[in-house]
Amino acid sequence: MVGTDAEKPRRAVNSRIAGFRDLEPSERLQKLAEIAGLSQSDTHALRGGGALPLALANGMIENVVGTFDLPIGVATNFTINGRDYLIPMAVEEPSVVAAASYMAKIARDNGGFRTSSTDPVMIAQVQVLGTNDPNGARQRILERRDEIVATANEKDKVLVGLGGGCRDIEVNVFETTPVGPMVIVHLLVDVRDAMGANTVNTMAEGVAPMVEELAGGPVRLRILSNLADRRLARARMELSIDSLATGEYSGDRIAQGIVEACAMAIVDPYRAATHNKGIMNGIDPVVVATGNDWRAIEAGAHAWAARAGRYTSLTRWEISGVGTLVGCIEMPMALGLVGGATRTHPAAQASLALLDVRSAQELSEIAVAVGLAQNMAALRALASEGIQRGHMTLHARNIAIVAGATGNQIEIVAGELAESQDVRVDRAKEILRRLTGE
Ligand code: MEV
């Protein structure tokens, strides 16, 4: 399979690394390299600092003046379908990686995440205008389904050779639009390990003349849909109520609080937007670290969340008949392992090596598992002490750095800031002056 070392034996990693967060970044990287068997070039790429050479960056987009760095952290403790993963996350927000790792630890003690996914089927749309008989046009197009599928597949024989390709078509009619009747043809294309945008766009352009002739009206748009609702990934976890207890809050109280918080996101779009943002806090960093198109993932996620006409939660939390807390997520996940930055960006390649995934479907299932973990972290905190305390503790480290703290000063300054619940740069500078005696 292109881009995935399908035959290479997989190294079993243990994602539970004691004391990982207490190490220095270089020690963490060293440990990861040992555990995951990373090559020197992958280790170098994950370390950053020039990992994306300017010449390469210059070939990726236009008017390049430099590159932009983000921290890459590694979420630990994940076990998905019985297999452990160390998950790279490129993100600027404090507490995201810690929260994912912590929730993954709770999930792990309860058997971990269970995931599944559909085949990686993308949709390409072909828009036809100006038909007087849009329903007749629809049927004329469907009568020639096999030829349209074959014409599309002519455009990517490599994909067909890999077991993918255009599988089917569907045709939607909109009898009234601001510009008259519209017929929209969908090509349903199994893109295997690609994100698939280029492939399906080429196919849509390839079938356009035939569609135009059959429909009796001009074709205009020929482009993929980011509402990738034929390419869904799912994750589920089931937790004992006792494992949810935190501080003075009982497991029952937390479980009930999580269910109630989710209920609010299900009915109220204002809450759903924030709830889903929390989920994307987990998903986007995996998408970015692996060089995938996070705008496409965001577009798909929110369109899917609004598919019933009212924007709602991407997750569901319930208390099962046997008294466990069950969390579920299902959403579009158009991720690739081949093509684009996944191939060209050395850090994306290194991230994929760390994950050691064998298919885009496997990657998509990991991404939604992280999203579910992130959602659990937010709801668990919101259902108990609120998010500010934990968030501020981590935010305090940033503020300490901004104030000029270095080395072990960072922890001392951050500790005092968090303790006083007064996390401001001028206060951090004050503490720093006291520490250094200036
Ligand atoms: C913050 O980045 C994300 C949260 O607001 C998510 C949520 O409220 O569920 C904490």
Side-chain angles (χ1 to χ4, degrees):
M1 205 179 292
V2 173
T4 60
D5 300 312
E7 311 82 32
K8 212 173 92 185
R10 293 231 254 194
R11 176 188 273 251
V13 301
N14 180 352
S15 66
R16 175 110 190 82
I17 313 176
F20 192 59
R21 66 176 199 175
D22 302 323
L23 301 176
E24 290 298 315
S26 61
E27 295 170 329
R28 290 193 196 109
L29 190 54
Q30 181 60 37
K31 192 143 213 126
L32 278 187
E34 281 161 27
I35 294 173
L38 293 179
S39 69
Q40 255 193 341
S41 61
D42 285 339
T43 314
H44 173 77
L46 284 175
R47 184 179 297 121
L52 179 62
L54 198 57
L56 198 52
N58 195 35
M60 287 169 79
I61 64 163
E62 310 72 41
N63 297 356
V64 166
V65 295
T67 58
F68 183 91
D69 285 343
L70 273 179
I72 290 197
V74 173
T76 53
N77 299 328
F78 273 84
T79 175
I80 300 172
N81 300 330
R83 180 179 176 76
D84 272 20
Y85 293 92
L86 288 160
I87 304 182
M89 300 177 77
V91 64
E92 87 301 343
E93 185 170 328
S95 88
V96 164
V97 178
S101 303
Y102 188 24
M103 295 308 112
K105 160 90 177 55
I106 298 177
R108 177 189 194 83
D109 295 341
N110 285 271
F113 297 84
R114 291 280 146 197
T115 63
S116 62
S117 51
T118 64
D119 282 343
V121 173
M122 294 295 285
I123 298 170
Q125 298 192 290
V126 181
Q127 175 202 31
V128 191
L129 299 168
T131 49
N132 292 326
D133 61 340
N135 291 293
R138 175 175 179 273
Q139 295 217 356
R140 288 194 294 278
I141 293 165
L142 286 171
E143 283 156 22
R144 304 281 288 276
R145 170 204 175 270
D146 291 355
E147 281 161 79
I148 294 172
V149 167
T151 305
N153 282 333
E154 279 297 307
K155 295 285 164 198
D156 198 335
K157 292 194 174 134
V158 175
L159 179 65
V160 174
L162 289 169
C166 184
R167 296 259 180 271
D168 206 351
I169 65 168
E170 55 190 21
V171 188
N172 295 321
V173 170
F174 295 90
E175 289 186 21
T176 45
T177 80
V179 293
M182 202 176 285
V183 177
I184 300 176
V185 181
H186 285 181
L187 301 180
L188 307 183
V189 184
D190 183 330
V191 295
R192 297 284 87 199
D193 284 327
M195 185 275 182
N198 280 331
T199 300
V200 304
N201 291 344
T202 306
M203 286 184 176
E205 291 184 7
V207 303
M210 191 171 173
V211 168
E212 199 164 74
E213 198 183 309
L214 290 168
V219 161
R220 293 280 190 257
L221 303 191
R222 294 143 297 160
I223 186 79
L224 94 168
S225 169
N226 285 120
L227 176 49
D229 62 0
R230 308 304 167 90
R231 193 177 190 178
L232 300 175
R234 312 176 192 98
R236 175 176 66 84
M237 59 170 143
E238 186 165 348
L239 310 164
S240 76
I241 299 291
D242 286 348
S243 63
L244 293 161
T246 170
E248 73 220 56
Y249 300 92
S250 70
D252 275 324
R253 162 76 195 273
I254 300 284
Q256 193 55 33
I258 289 176
V259 172
E260 287 162 2
C262 187
M264 180 173 169
I266 291 170
V267 299
D268 177 6
Y270 286 92
R271 172 58 203 156
T274 322
H275 177 98
N276 290 345
K277 189 273 180 185
I279 293 166
M280 301 316 286
N281 274 350
I283 292 173
D284 284 341
V286 180
V287 177
V288 174
T290 55
N292 273 286
D293 180 345
W294 74 91
R295 287 87 54 211
I297 296 300
E298 284 282 341
H302 301 296
W304 169 255
R307 68 194 181 285
R310 185 182 182 86
Y311 188 81
T312 188
S313 168
L314 290 166
T315 56
R316 291 290 185 271
W317 290 93
E318 307 159 331
I319 310 239
S320 74
V322 291
T324 50
L325 178 70
V326 180
C328 298
I329 187 168
E330 179 178 43
M331 60 184 286
M333 199 44 62
L335 296 178
L337 298 182
V338 295
T342 51
R343 269 282 162 198
T344 49
H345 198 304
Q349 281 288 291
S351 292
L352 290 171
L354 178 61
L355 284 164
D356 198 14
V357 285
R358 296 304 151 96
S359 69
Q361 266 178 266
E362 187 181 352
L363 179 62
S364 71
E365 293 177 21
I366 293 170
V368 294
V370 181
L372 184 61
Q374 209 71 46
N375 183 227
M376 175 184 164
L379 301 192
R380 183 171 175 272
L382 290 167
S384 53
E385 63 177 14
I387 63 151
Q388 276 314 81
R389 209 167 89 167
H391 204 78
M392 275 302 165
T393 310
L394 287 158
H395 179 55
R397 298 183 87 247
N398 272 346
I399 296 296
I401 294 165
V402 171
T406 53
N408 62 0
Q409 291 171 341
I410 299 171
E411 290 309 325
I412 301 172
V413 175
E416 280 200 38
L417 288 175
E419 183 71 20
S420 66
Q421 298 199 3
D422 186 10
V423 186
R424 289 180 294 120
V425 176
D426 55 342
R427 173 94 185 92
K429 283 189 173 156
E430 217 176 278
I431 301 169
L432 201 55
R433 274 198 296 273
R434 204 195 64 227
L435 277 180
T436 54
E438 280 171 18

